[in-house]
Amino acid sequence: MDEQDLVDIEVTHDGPDDLVASYSSGVADFSFHRQTVMANRLLSGQPDTELRSLSRVDEEEVKLLEHQVDAAHRALFEMDGKALLADEVGLGKTIEVGMILKEMHYRETSGSVLILTPAQLAKQWQGELREKFGLGFVCNYDDEFQGFDAHDRIIASIDTAKSDRHRATVLARDWDVLVMDEAHYVKNEDTDRYELIDKLTYNYAFFLTATPIQNELTDLYNIVSLLRPGLFGSRDTFHHYFVDNGQETLVNRDELQRRLGQVMIRNRREDTDIDFTDRIIDTRTFEPSAAEKDLYNAVTDYVQEAYSQDRGQKLVLMLLQKEVVSSPAALKQTVLKQLNENNELTHKSELEELVEKIDAIDTVTKEERLFDIVEEARDHVEMGRVIVFTQFRPTQRRVLDALEKQGYTTHAFHGGHSSEEKEEIVDRFREDGGVLVSTDAMNEGRNLQFCNIMVNYDLPWNPMKVEQRIGRIHRIGQKRTVYVFNMALKGTIEEYVLDRLYHKIDLFQQTVGELSTILTRLEDSGRSFEDEIFERLASADSEIDLENDFESMAIDLEEQQDLSQKVEKFNSGVFESFDLGASDD
């Protein structure tokens, strides 16, 4: 009988206390022996369990907080190197893992390390581990990445790892350490992601998620079972003893919390001494000029007609609708590209008419109103630092030109810059002040707490991206009140999104974790938030229809928010009075 056979033994018993004793003595002895061996490896060469690498962390790069150091210590020495780090959003779970990996590297117990993340977070992880802890990892998006069997420290998206191209190589290797970010991605046992993690072999594992329960308690069971197989017995046993039939309330809560205490560390904001600063939102809507309004109406008519006749790619039509409220420059680039690449367009004259309407705009309202914000910042904020976000490079260039003509110190940040150039740009912004105009490439893990004013020059239709923008400046280390200015033209899709949707769910006071819960069911249905917005716009027969459609979408969002609050209430029931520190015994 091998280890997996022991783990898979069916658990049968008469009560929660029997669950503990449900394994045979052989299973218990095997498990205890294996954990002892692993713990001894961590302690090898050291007389005690102090975090020896603390003195090697550069305090100028990272200020370790007490709850982070405690989490790293407990994960390594109380949980034998297998832990679910479930701190609430914003408390620095990445820092905790960095501390863990730093310590393991110091003790030479981390020969091969695999960090699996969502695709958009891979480079962020790479940067933070290098900058804060001096740990070098190759990322699957790097040119030098040669495969999962060619490097000892790898950061990769979980979808890359599970792909047909790499899956066999990933599974063939025995990893010393596995790190799984956003572990709720593997909550469903019927997915390829779950199957990959279930089949991986590793000695130590650290899973991260702020939302270990998203829809039901089974989420938590699946995640914990990947870390500690058998801790909760079989799935049926787990439900029988811990969840009532309706999954509305918990039973045997003390026993559930006792078991979680063996594998999970959860810090809450209220339990730390971190003082997050206030966030003040100022939404400013402006009346477009007659020429701007004429252009907006023409673009919307074109998009609606093209979409109804299925004569244009949906992504292109969506892009046009976003660009028209961003800047004439952004819209013009896309329209000209369509004209140049499609000589046989049946609607060529309509696109040419759009170009004429673009050229008829002399003054861009948003540019004029942006000057009011940056001028106020120049008068009242240290070095006049302001970050302006836009989704489009042509808009970025136009805004930079306008600001430079007004005598402002400016900085451009976009995805075309190398990693070294991005570092230099941020350093210059810190040292020289002025206005940094950035595309959403800035979302890649940049920490800009030295700035506290941000402008959404145009608004992404995905609310997660909005919060990620704000998260660049409103995070641990920010010492001042954060001001977020949203700019929108009246009577446009931008105003609808702001007033009907974002303010309806109080977007600007939500955390990424809360937003994720609100949007989960929509995304799981295969329809993105952006798709919903576009299709309601493109299908509306009149302004009244559009208002009704957005009101309906707002109601749907409110229902999802109610669900999110119920999930949070359920989570609180699971985690209530959860022991966040070592016992006094």
Side-chain angles (χ1 to χ4, degrees):
M1 180 180 292
D2 62 17
E3 180 185 0
Q4 189 60 47
D5 292 330
L6 293 171
V7 168
D8 287 341
I9 290 177
E10 179 65 23
V11 181
T12 57
H13 43 73
D14 297 321
D17 292 335
D18 292 332
L19 189 60
V20 181
S22 61
Y23 291 105
S24 68
S25 60
V27 176
D29 291 344
F30 184 94
S31 177
F32 178 78
H33 173 71
R34 187 170 185 272
Q35 290 179 11
T36 300
V37 170
M38 292 168 62
N40 286 337
R41 284 186 63 194
L42 283 171
L43 295 171
S44 177
Q46 301 295 342
D48 53 43
T49 58
E50 293 181 4
L51 291 175
R52 294 287 178 171
S53 63
L54 275 176
S55 60
R56 295 174 175 255
V57 176
D58 188 343
E59 294 184 3
E60 293 185 1
E61 292 295 336
V62 57
K63 180 181 178 182
L64 293 172
L65 302 175
E66 183 178 353
H67 75 272
Q68 295 168 340
V69 175
D70 178 65
H73 184 278
R74 293 180 62 204
L76 284 170
F77 303 118
E78 295 179 23
M79 297 179 176
D80 301 327
K82 285 193 175 182
L84 175 61
L85 304 173
D87 292 356
E88 289 182 338
V89 170
L91 296 185
K93 292 184 289 296
T94 307
I95 299 298
E96 293 168 1
V97 170
M99 189 67 249
I100 289 169
L101 294 178
K102 183 79 171 179
E103 184 71 17
M104 296 186 78
H105 177 67
Y106 182 82
R107 293 172 182 259
E108 298 182 350
T109 56
S110 61
S112 59
V113 183
L114 176 63
I115 300 178
L116 297 178
T117 76
Q120 69 272 18
L121 298 180
K123 296 296 289 185
Q124 174 180 324
W125 269 89
Q126 184 185 39
E128 292 214 359
L129 290 176
R130 179 183 64 249
E131 295 160 12
K132 292 181 169 63
F133 296 98
L135 298 174
F137 280 78
V138 65
C139 175
N140 69 280
Y141 297 111
D142 294 339
D143 292 339
E144 58 267 33
F145 179 71
Q146 298 177 10
F148 286 88
D149 55 354
H151 312 276
D152 283 335
R153 295 183 186 174
I154 299 173
I155 298 174
S157 75
I158 186 170
D159 290 329
T160 297
K162 73 176 180 61
S163 67
D164 292 340
R165 179 182 178 185
H166 296 292
R167 177 183 172 86
T169 306
V170 173
L171 292 177
R173 189 168 184 179
D174 293 330
W175 300 93
D176 285 304
V177 184
L178 170 67
V179 175
M180 176 70 198
D181 191 18
E182 305 294 349
H184 49 270
Y185 273 39
V186 295
K187 67 181 187 294
N188 187 342
E189 71 274 14
D190 295 325
T191 63
D192 291 340
R193 291 171 176 172
Y194 184 95
E195 184 181 7
L196 176 76
I197 304 302
D198 191 34
K199 291 184 176 181
L200 272 174
T201 56
Y202 47 83
N203 293 321
Y204 309 105
F206 307 97
F207 288 8
L208 293 77
T209 177
T211 54
I213 302 174
Q214 288 195 310
N215 296 307
E216 56 183 54
L217 204 57
T218 302
D219 299 345
L220 181 64
Y221 174 88
N222 288 340
I223 294 171
V224 170
S225 293
L226 288 172
L227 271 172
R228 295 284 181 88
L231 182 65
F232 287 129
S234 70
R235 185 174 284 102
D236 288 343
T237 298
F238 174 79
H239 278 280
H240 178 71
Y241 284 106
F242 295 124
V243 189
D244 73 355
N245 292 333
Q247 296 191 2
E248 295 290 339
T249 59
L250 294 169
V251 291
N252 297 312
R253 181 178 297 175
D254 291 344
E255 176 63 19
L256 176 62
Q257 292 176 352
R258 186 185 72 78
R259 287 163 190 266
L260 284 175
Q262 300 176 41
V263 70
M264 188 176 80
I265 301 169
R266 182 170 176 84
N267 291 299
R268 296 169 296 179
R269 291 193 180 202
E270 62 195 60
D271 298 314
T272 69
D273 56 2
I274 303 171
D275 184 18
F276 287 90
T277 61
D278 292 334
R279 176 188 296 187
I280 296 177
I281 307 299
D282 187 343
T283 295
R284 301 187 178 186
T285 55
F286 315 106
E287 194 69 44
S289 66
E292 287 174 322
K293 186 66 174 177
D294 185 38
L295 175 63
Y296 177 81
N297 289 336
V299 169
T300 302
D301 290 343
Y302 172 81
V303 168
Q304 289 180 327
E305 183 179 359
Y307 186 64
S308 66
Q309 297 178 4
D310 195 26
R311 69 181 196 195
Q313 292 183 342
K314 179 180 177 180
L315 291 178
V316 174
L317 297 176
M318 189 184 296
L319 182 62
L320 293 174
Q321 197 70 55
K322 291 178 179 180
E323 289 175 333
V324 70
V325 291
S326 177
S327 73
L331 178 65
K332 186 173 183 177
Q333 176 172 292
T334 300
V335 173
L336 290 177
K337 183 179 180 181
Q338 287 291 298
L339 286 169
N340 293 333
E341 293 181 354
N342 299 278
N343 296 323
E344 300 180 0
L345 281 172
T346 58
H347 45 286
K348 183 176 181 180
S349 60
E350 297 173 56
L351 291 175
E352 290 173 339
E353 184 179 348
L354 291 181
V355 174
E356 293 176 4
K357 292 182 181 296
I358 292 171
D359 292 338
I361 296 175
D362 296 323
T363 302
V364 178
T365 301
K366 278 191 177 181
E367 282 181 15
E368 298 296 315
R369 301 285 71 82
L370 178 62
F371 295 149
D372 298 337
I373 298 172
V374 295
E375 182 65 26
E376 189 174 349
R378 184 159 62 178
D379 292 341
H380 296 97
V381 179
E382 178 189 5
M383 304 183 76
R385 292 194 192 94
V386 178
I387 299 174
V388 179
F389 272 105
T390 176
Q391 300 170 82
F392 306 108
R393 290 280 292 276
T395 301
Q396 180 189 43
R397 289 191 290 267
R398 173 77 189 222
V399 170
L400 285 166
D401 289 343
L403 289 169
E404 288 168 2
K405 289 177 181 177
Q406 295 291 322
Y408 289 96
T409 299
T410 62
H411 314 269
F413 189 108
H414 54 73
H417 292 124
S418 66
S419 297
E420 293 75 15
E421 288 172 333
K422 289 177 179 177
E423 297 288 348
E424 293 171 0
I425 292 165
V426 172
D427 288 342
R428 286 198 298 269
F429 180 47
R430 180 188 295 109
E431 295 167 2
D432 301 340
V435 184
L436 186 149
V437 184
S438 177
T439 65
D440 286 321
M442 180 63 77
N443 284 348
E444 294 181 358
R446 297 289 159 179
N447 301 320
L448 302 170
Q449 298 94 320
F450 58 85
C451 178
N452 69 317
I453 298 180
M454 196 196 85
V455 178
N456 286 310
Y457 192 83
D458 49 47
L459 278 165
W461 292 356
N462 185 334
M464 291 290 284
K465 291 183 179 180
V466 179
E467 177 56 33
Q468 286 164 356
R469 287 179 175 184
I470 298 173
R472 296 307 99 219
I473 62 176
H474 198 208
R475 56 197 297 118
I476 292 176
Q478 178 58 262
K479 297 180 173 59
R480 295 167 292 177
T481 298
V482 166
Y483 294 88
V484 178
F485 295 90
N486 301 313
M487 305 182 71
L489 295 176
K490 291 182 179 179
T492 67
I493 185 65
E494 211 164 31
E495 185 183 28
Y496 277 106
V497 171
L498 264 173
D499 289 347
R500 297 289 198 277
L501 301 181
Y502 287 178
H503 287 301
K504 202 78 171 179
I505 61 173
D506 197 17
L507 162 74
F508 299 103
Q509 300 303 328
Q510 303 280 350
T511 65
V512 171
E514 291 164 336
L515 284 174
S516 176
T517 306
I518 292 171
L519 299 176
T520 290
R521 288 185 181 271
L522 177 63
E523 299 290 346
D524 285 347
S525 70
R527 296 170 62 85
S528 73
F529 197 84
E530 294 189 352
D531 287 337
E532 287 284 336
I533 290 174
F534 176 76
E535 292 192 11
R536 290 171 191 269
L537 171 74
S539 303
D541 293 328
S542 67
E543 188 170 338
I544 293 177
D545 284 344
L546 187 59
E547 289 183 3
N548 290 336
D549 286 344
F550 269 81
E551 187 63 30
S552 173
M553 189 174 181
I555 292 172
D556 290 343
L557 277 179
E558 286 181 319
E559 290 175 353
Q560 293 303 318
Q561 190 168 28
D562 289 342
L563 172 63
S564 171
Q565 292 167 353
K566 289 179 181 178
V567 169
E568 179 56 33
K569 184 177 180 180
F570 189 71
N571 283 354
S572 298
V574 177
F575 304 131
E576 184 180 0
S577 302
F578 189 78
D579 182 10
L580 300 177
S583 65
D584 296 330
D585 295 336

